[in-house]
Amino acid sequence: MVMYNCSNSIFIDAVNNGFPLVDKSGFIKALWELNEKVCLITRPRRFGKTMNLGMLDAYLNLGYKEEGKEWFKGMEIENHEDMRRLRNAFPVIRMSFSDLRTGSTESFMNGLKTITSEIYKNFKEQGAFDDAPEYD
């Protein structure tokens, strides 16, 4: 059986539960200012990739518009007035393959199909596809 969690966010859990975390919110501004279409982020294990991506998701994701207002209070990113217009302003698709460690290609593909179906369902419920054309 493949286990997965599409809504996994270490950053949001840390902020909501008052866990200590290092303020790396300046990463959001630095990444935005690169103005690249694709960015490859490589770091060794345990260097904060998941935390940084969770933070980026929490800052940009339209789905967190209400609760996301509080998450960045007192952090560096709040000192940049020009970045506030980006907070919770975009539909964000976030996928993690970390829970798809399986023994076969077939099992991996089934897990991937489940994850993409959940993402589609969540976006459809939010009305993200209301203007999209229908495909067979």
Side-chain angles (χ1 to χ4, degrees):
M1 181 171 169
V2 177
M3 301 297 290
Y4 65 92
N5 182 354
C6 292
S7 64
N8 179 30
S9 179
I10 296 170
F11 175 80
I12 293 171
D13 289 345
V15 172
N16 284 342
N17 293 305
F19 297 154
L21 70 111
V22 175
D23 180 3
K24 295 184 179 181
S25 63
F27 168 75
I28 299 168
K29 182 173 175 56
L31 187 63
W32 187 262
E33 289 177 343
L34 285 175
N35 199 27
E36 296 291 338
K37 290 182 180 179
V38 176
C39 180
L40 175 64
I41 301 171
T42 59
R43 293 213 168 132
R45 290 177 50 123
R46 302 285 170 232
F47 270 71
K49 294 180 298 292
T50 302
M51 179 70 82
N52 282 342
L53 291 177
M55 176 185 59
L56 188 63
D57 177 41
Y59 194 80
L60 298 175
N61 196 329
L62 184 61
Y64 300 129
K65 195 162 194 102
E66 292 306 313
E67 62 265 46
K69 293 175 183 175
E70 301 298 315
W71 293 337
F72 292 91
K73 285 197 173 180
M75 292 191 180
E76 180 186 339
I77 194 69
E78 287 295 291
N79 297 329
H80 303 284
E81 186 74 34
D82 58 324
M83 295 299 292
R84 289 187 187 160
R85 66 183 170 79
L86 304 176
R87 187 174 57 217
N88 306 118
F90 302 96
V92 174
I93 296 175
R94 182 171 178 226
M95 296 176 69
S96 174
F97 299 140
S98 65
D99 295 328
L100 290 179
R101 294 187 180 114
T102 64
S104 70
T105 302
E106 182 180 350
S107 180
F108 177 84
M109 293 305 291
N110 287 335
L112 186 58
K113 287 176 187 175
T114 301
I115 288 172
T116 53
S117 295
E118 285 297 314
I119 289 170
Y120 177 79
K121 185 178 88 175
N122 290 338
F123 269 78
K124 189 172 179 96
E125 288 171 1
Q126 294 174 14
F129 301 119
D130 288 349
D131 297 329
E134 290 292 324
Y135 294 100
D136 294 325

